[in-house]
Amino acid sequence: MKQPVRIKTISEFHEFRKLPKPEHPLISVVDYSTIKHDADVNELSWILDFYSISIKRTSNAKMKYGQQEYDFDEGVMFFMAPGQVFGVTVDPKTNEKAKHTGWILLIHPDFFWNTSLARNIKNYAYFDYSVNEALFLSEKEENTLHSIIENIRHEYHSNIDKFSQNIIISQIETLLNYAERFYQRQFITRKISNHKILDSLEGLLTDYFSNEDLITKGLPSVQFVADQLNVSPSYLTGLLKILTGQSTQQHIHEKLIEKAKEKLSTTQLSVSEIAYELGFEHPQSFSKLFKNKTNVSPLEFRQSFN
């Protein structure tokens, strides 16, 4: 993939993708089928300094988001925050150009000034998901979102007045809330792949806490666990919250406490020695966490076996 092109404004995006000048400098709805592609360009990547929300179907192309690659033949919804890398790779084995359908909503952060979304946009975790964690929509769900997009398009196409920004912001919030609902539905309905992630998480943590290198490696971070499972940290925590009611950090702590109980009940190691073996630099931190999770100190837990 070539060096990504940085695109700072929505006007620059329209120019970059050979589109007519946008009607509004801070918000735009683009029909993917109108985007023109150079026949001799097989790879293209860019970094946007604004938000984008897309429903896209693509033939004869692979999409890249950061270092993740995904096939968009079936059409899915995905979200990008400012500063993230997105790219397209067209199959060079065929002369057919990549064909796109769907839409993309572009929103510059300046559009959110003095509105509720200036604060709340950060609460929608799926802007941090990778493209392989995109949202798969039913036809009914897609139609619901398409109607909202049409409302947004109609509003900024109309005469702009003092109500326009608030009306568009409320439509965007509705879109984002529907997306959150649909993601939670996806976590539940895509059971096979989600259970594989749960099984992999269990195996990963079991192996990690059974490794004698814990003293040097320290405790596993949420980022490390997510990387090992090939998902983003925010997606993993969102999935686990829906399926188990616990965050990734809570799962790590649960496995840690399980291992600590095993050592306290089956070895003669001191609490400090166990703390070091489990990757803690300071035994006090281990004792505090253990008591928070079990309501007894490590010594009290050990004494309960005597």
Side-chain angles (χ1 to χ4, degrees), residues 36-231:
K36 298 177 182 178
H37 305 274
D38 293 328
D40 56 344
V41 176
N42 292 328
E43 289 188 351
L44 196 62
S45 63
W46 56 86
I47 300 172
L48 306 180
D49 284 350
F50 42 88
Y51 292 91
S52 74
I53 302 170
S54 308
I55 289 181
K56 187 170 189 178
R57 290 184 175 83
T58 304
S59 67
N60 184 38
K62 300 287 183 184
M63 301 300 141
K64 267 197 172 182
Y65 176 102
Q67 298 304 309
Q68 299 285 350
E69 189 174 274
Y70 202 78
D71 189 337
F72 274 76
D73 290 344
E74 293 185 352
V76 292
M77 186 175 192
F78 57 100
F79 304 79
M80 290 181 62
Q84 295 171 332
V85 180
F86 185 77
V88 181
T89 305
V90 180
D91 187 351
K93 295 179 181 179
T94 174
N95 293 325
E96 182 187 3
K97 296 179 185 178
K99 296 176 181 177
H100 308 281
T101 60
W103 49 259
I104 176 171
L105 172 63
L106 308 171
I107 317 160
H108 197 280
D110 289 355
F111 189 76
F112 296 143
W113 281 0
N114 297 319
T115 74
S116 56
L117 275 177
R119 300 185 306 275
N120 297 338
I121 191 71
K122 302 294 185 184
N123 296 334
Y124 296 97
Y126 44 72
F127 278 105
D128 291 325
Y129 293 176
S130 297
V131 76
N132 65 331
E133 300 153 356
L135 179 57
F136 290 78
L137 298 170
S138 69
E139 184 178 352
K140 181 179 179 182
E141 290 170 344
E142 187 170 337
N143 289 338
T144 297
L145 299 181
H146 181 72
S147 66
I148 297 172
I149 286 295
E150 285 304 309
N151 289 341
I152 293 172
R153 192 203 306 263
H154 174 77
E155 188 61 34
Y156 77 74
H157 271 271
S158 303
N159 293 327
I160 299 296
D161 57 29
K162 66 178 183 179
F163 300 102
S164 298
Q165 184 185 29
N166 287 337
I167 290 172
I168 294 174
I169 288 293
S170 67
Q171 293 288 330
I172 295 172
E173 286 181 320
T174 301
L175 178 75
L176 297 177
N177 288 330
Y178 269 116
E180 191 148 33
R181 169 191 277 181
F182 297 158
Y183 257 115
Q184 295 205 10
R185 181 269 306 152
Q186 178 166 297
F187 289 150
I188 296 168
T189 56
R190 301 188 74 206
K191 291 181 180 178
I192 295 176
S193 60
N194 291 339
H195 287 173
K196 284 181 180 177
I197 290 177
L198 278 176
D199 291 343
S200 297
L201 173 65
E202 178 69 19
L204 170 66
L205 293 178
T206 297
D207 290 346
Y208 194 97
F209 283 108
S210 298
N211 195 307
E212 295 182 359
D213 288 341
L214 267 176
I215 297 173
T216 54
K217 291 196 305 182
L219 295 174
S221 67
V222 173
Q223 183 70 57
F224 170 82
V225 171
D227 287 345
Q228 295 301 303
L229 298 176
N230 294 316
V231 295

Side-chain angles (χ1 to χ4, degrees), residues 45 48 53 68 71 82 96 249 265 271 284-285 289 299:
S45 63
L48 306 180
I53 302 170
Q68 299 285 350
D71 189 337
E96 182 187 3
Q249 189 68 65
S265 59
V271 172
Q284 301 93 324
S285 300
L289 177 64
L299 277 179

Side-chain angles (χ1 to χ4, degrees), residues 3 28 30 49 118 129 155 191 266 272:
Q3 187 71 19
S28 179
V30 176
D49 284 350
Y129 293 176
E155 188 61 34
K191 291 181 180 178
T266 62
S272 293

